[in-house]
């Protein structure tokens, strides 16, 4: 009788419910263990490597497709640019001769092609040379820091200007390139290079000032440079000045000093009213070595530009090859891969631009 209470208690217990609860709990634990094992397998180094490899391959494939499409678009635009500019690529940029030749063509096919060309040119604004009128038809001064700057950075601009009737291009080179004690040799190389580009010897002004040495470690005084620029502008009746921008294309201190000197003249309102001030755009290292494939970025991001065909760029390369003393191995890569051998993009600088950039410089 003493254990009757135990028997009654055991009889009241639902053993099936306990079994089911125990089974469910065990199943849940086993499921959790399987999930944990799967998670451990997913987080294993081998699994992570495989996932990264597959994802990277897919991303790389997309990048290659985008790059291929971009290159094809640039090549198409490059070809279209010279088709829309009759005479470009052949050295013939005289507008009157182009119009006369078009009128003499006379055929229906020529008329249709000319209509399509005019429509696309007005709609897309694509042309090999897109410069302001003052720069195309006036007396232009290019201010550089060293012999070879005119070829390495301003070649497309110089070639485009010298091919136009009525445009006189002058070069003011502020140092004689005596960094390696080769001043006389550098002078002769400059003369020969400018001859290739269509600049006569009488239009070259080469300074030999002791306070403006060809040395990145020597700071050029902006007032000294500004006085030389102003004297040249006034004596030659210059209508447009072209030089480096604030970053000097290659960040060379002498290049930057030329910009700040010219900007100080603009800021002090010392330049003649008819004289405009333009700078060559400095671009990032990737665009700098895209060659003609920077065309798309240039057309969308710049207001003024000069674009050379491969045949025209070969003339600039030959001019650069006259600077034999400077043709190190990396310069050979530069003249075939640099965008500055095919494309120059420029910006007109006004007083507000100068004030802003001077504030940035002071800060």
């Amino acid at each position: 009788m003493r254990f009757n209470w135990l028997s009654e208690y055991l009889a009241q217990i639902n053993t099936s419910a306990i079994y089911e609860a125990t089974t469910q709990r065990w199943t849940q634990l086993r499921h959790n263990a399987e999930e944990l094992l799967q998670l451990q397998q997913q987080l294993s180094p081998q699994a992570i490597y495989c996932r990264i490899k597959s994802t990277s391959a897919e991303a790389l494939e997309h990048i290659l497709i985008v790059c291929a499409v971009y290159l094809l678009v640039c090549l198409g635009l490059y070809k279209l640019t010279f088709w829309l500019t009759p005479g470009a690529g052949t050295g013939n940029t005289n507008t009157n001769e182009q119009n006369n030749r078009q009128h003499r063509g006379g055929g229906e096919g020529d008329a249709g092609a000319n209509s399509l060309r005019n429509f696309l040119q007005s709609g897309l604004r694509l042309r090999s040379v897109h410069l302001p009128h003052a720069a195309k038809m006036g007396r232009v001064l290019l201010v550089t820091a060293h012999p070879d700057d005119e070829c390495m950075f301003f070649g497309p601009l110089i070639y485009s200007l010298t091919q136009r009737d009525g445009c006189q291009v002058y070069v003011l080179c502020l140092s004689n390139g005596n960094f390696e004690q080769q001043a006389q040799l550098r002078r002769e190389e400059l003369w020969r290079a400018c001859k290739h580009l269509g600049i006569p010897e009488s239009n070259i002004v080469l300074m030999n000032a002791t306070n403006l040495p060809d040395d990145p470690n020597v700071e050029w005084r902006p007032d000294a440079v500004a006085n030389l620029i102003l004297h040249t502008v006034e004596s030659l009746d210059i209508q447009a000045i072209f030089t480096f921008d604030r970053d000097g294309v290659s960040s060379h201190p002498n290049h930057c000093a030329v910009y700040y000197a010219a900007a100080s003249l603009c800021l002090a309102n010392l330049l003649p009213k008819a004289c405009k001030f333009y700078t060559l755009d400095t671009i990032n290292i990737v665009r700098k070595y895209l060659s003609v494939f920077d065309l798309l970025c240039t057309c969308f991001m710049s207001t003024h530009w000069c674009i050379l065909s491969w045949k025209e760029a070969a003339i600039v390369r030959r001019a650069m090859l006259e600077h034999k003393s400077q043709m190190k191995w990396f310069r050979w890569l530069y003249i075939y891969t640099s965008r500055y051998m095919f494309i120059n993009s420029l910006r007109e600088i006004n007083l507000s631009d100068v004030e802003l950039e001077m504030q940035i410089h002071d800060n």
Side-chain angles (χ1 to χ4, degrees):
M1 294 297 294
R2 289 185 305 176
F3 298 101
N4 287 341
W5 63 270
L6 181 60
S7 300
E8 293 175 359
Y9 177 74
L10 293 175
Q12 292 175 359
I13 295 176
N14 189 348
T15 57
S16 61
I18 295 175
Y19 176 76
E20 289 179 0
T22 304
T23 304
Q24 290 178 357
R25 180 61 177 170
W26 173 253
T27 303
Q28 184 178 3
L29 290 175
R30 187 174 61 182
H31 182 68
N32 291 341
E34 291 176 354
E35 289 182 348
L36 180 61
L37 181 61
Q38 291 178 357
L39 181 61
Q40 290 177 346
Q41 291 176 351
Q42 292 175 357
L43 295 178
S44 65
Q46 184 177 4
I48 293 175
Y49 171 76
C50 293
R51 189 177 299 109
I52 292 176
K53 184 178 179 180
S54 60
T55 305
S56 300
E58 184 178 358
L60 181 61
E61 181 180 355
H62 291 164
I63 291 173
L64 291 176
I65 292 174
V66 171
C67 290
V69 171
Y70 176 82
L71 296 180
L72 289 175
V73 170
C74 285
L75 285 175
L77 285 176
Y78 188 66
K79 183 67 175 178
L80 183 62
T81 296
F82 294 99
W83 183 75
L84 293 176
T85 311
T90 62
N92 181 11
T93 54
N94 187 289
T95 305
N96 294 328
E97 290 183 7
Q98 294 168 14
N99 294 335
N100 293 336
R101 187 168 57 253
Q102 291 174 9
H103 287 306
R104 287 196 301 267
E108 295 182 359
D110 291 341
N114 291 335
S115 299
L116 178 61
R117 182 183 289 114
N118 293 334
F119 172 76
L120 291 175
Q121 194 173 32
S122 59
L124 298 178
R125 276 195 333 126
L126 273 179
R127 62 196 72 172
S128 60
V129 179
H130 192 270
L131 291 174
H133 180 75
K136 290 188 291 186
M137 300 303 295
R139 298 167 67 85
V140 174
L141 177 65
L142 175 68
V143 185
T144 64
H146 318 107
D148 78 5
D149 287 348
E150 78 289 342
C151 297
M152 286 189 63
F153 307 115
F154 296 93
L157 172 65
I158 295 175
Y159 181 85
S160 299
L161 293 176
T162 54
Q163 296 302 304
R164 296 183 175 274
D165 293 337
C167 184
Q168 287 289 325
V169 181
Y170 296 87
V171 174
L172 171 61
C173 186
L174 293 167
S175 72
N176 59 4
N178 200 32
F179 183 64
E180 297 176 341
Q181 309 303 318
Q182 295 180 323
Q184 181 60 31
L185 176 60
R186 298 291 299 277
R187 177 183 180 277
E188 295 172 359
E189 291 174 346
L190 175 63
W191 258 241
R192 292 195 298 267
C194 286
K195 184 178 180 181
H196 277 285
L197 295 174
I199 301 176
E201 185 176 329
S202 58
N203 287 14
I204 305 171
V205 181
L206 178 62
M207 304 306 301
N208 186 19
T210 56
N211 60 341
L212 300 177
D214 179 3
D215 191 342
N217 300 316
V218 176
E219 183 177 354
W220 288 3
R221 289 179 52 189
D223 57 339
V225 178
N227 289 334
L228 293 173
I229 295 175
L230 182 60
H231 174 74
T232 307
V233 168
E234 292 177 342
S235 61
L236 296 176
D237 191 24
I238 296 300
Q239 296 174 290
I241 298 175
F242 290 90
T243 190
F244 299 100
D245 67 358
R246 179 167 57 92
D247 297 314
V249 179
S250 60
S251 298
H252 195 294
N254 298 160
H255 298 177
C256 301
V258 176
Y259 166 78
Y260 286 112
S264 67
L265 293 175
C266 182
L267 191 62
N269 201 24
L270 294 176
L271 290 175
K273 291 183 179 179
C275 184
K276 303 296 183 181
F277 179 27
Y278 301 92
T279 58
L280 180 67
D281 289 337
T282 296
I283 55 177
N284 60 59
I285 191 69
V286 176
R287 289 183 59 194
K288 186 176 181 179
Y289 291 101
L290 277 181
S291 186
V292 297
F293 298 109
D294 188 56
L295 176 63
L296 190 61
C297 295
T298 298
C299 292
F300 278 102
M301 300 174 65
S302 304
T303 54
H304 305 298
W305 62 76
C306 305
I307 304 169
L308 299 186
S309 67
W310 186 265
K311 185 182 296 185
E312 293 168 336
I315 298 175
V316 178
R317 285 195 296 272
R318 285 197 295 271
M320 182 61 202
L321 291 176
E322 292 295 342
H323 293 280
K324 294 182 174 62
S325 63
Q326 305 304 301
M327 290 305 296
K328 309 295 190 292
W329 66 268
F330 53 88
R331 293 268 165 76
W332 286 96
L333 294 177
Y334 179 91
I335 63 175
Y336 285 101
T337 61
S338 173
R339 171 253 204 197
Y340 288 100
M341 302 300 290
F342 294 89
I343 303 172
N344 279 165
S345 58
L346 306 119
R347 183 167 66 101
E348 182 176 356
I349 303 297
N350 52 42
L351 185 59
S352 59
D353 295 327
V354 174
E355 291 175 345
L356 177 60
E357 293 190 351
M358 286 297 186
Q359 290 177 3
I360 295 173
H361 176 64
D362 291 340
N363 292 334

